[in-house]
Amino acid sequence: MSRIVFWILLIGLVVFAIRAKLKGLSARQQPPLDAQPRRQPPPAEIETMTQCAHCGIHFPASEAVHADGHDYCSPGHVRLPPR
Ligand SMILES: [Zn+2]
């Protein structure tokens, strides 16, 4: 009786292995559904950089302190002369 169970399990295992192999081959032949190149999402808003007229450091323009036609990194540098 145990021999019959052994052979049934062995045959089932072989059939399962063959099916898995065939499934793997057919999946490799078909191109994946999302094979088309995807468009990159738009980059996050790019911040414009500016340079401090006194110390020369680069920083986001949105944080600039504008005075006398120059950009400064901080209110303290506004009082100091441009380089
Ligand atoms: Zn500065």
Side-chain angles (χ1 to χ4, degrees):
M1 184 65 189
S2 63
R3 280 187 181 179
I4 293 172
V5 172
F6 170 76
W7 283 109
I8 289 173
L9 285 176
L10 186 66
I11 290 169
L13 198 68
V14 169
V15 169
F16 177 78
I18 290 172
R19 278 189 177 180
K21 185 79 173 177
L22 290 175
K23 194 174 181 181
L25 286 176
S26 65
R28 231 179 283 157
Q29 289 170 350
Q30 294 175 346
L33 292 176
D34 57 348
Q36 297 177 350
R38 288 185 182 173
R39 299 194 65 185
Q40 296 259 336
E45 192 171 316
I46 298 171
E47 181 88 42
T48 304
M49 301 296 281
T50 188
Q51 187 176 14
C52 177
H54 176 71
C55 66
I57 194 171
H58 289 84
F59 57 96
S62 62
E63 301 174 11
V65 179
H66 303 280
D68 304 330
H70 297 287
D71 291 334
Y72 296 91
C73 64
S74 64
H77 282 183
V78 172
R79 286 181 264 129
L80 299 173
R83 288 198 298 176

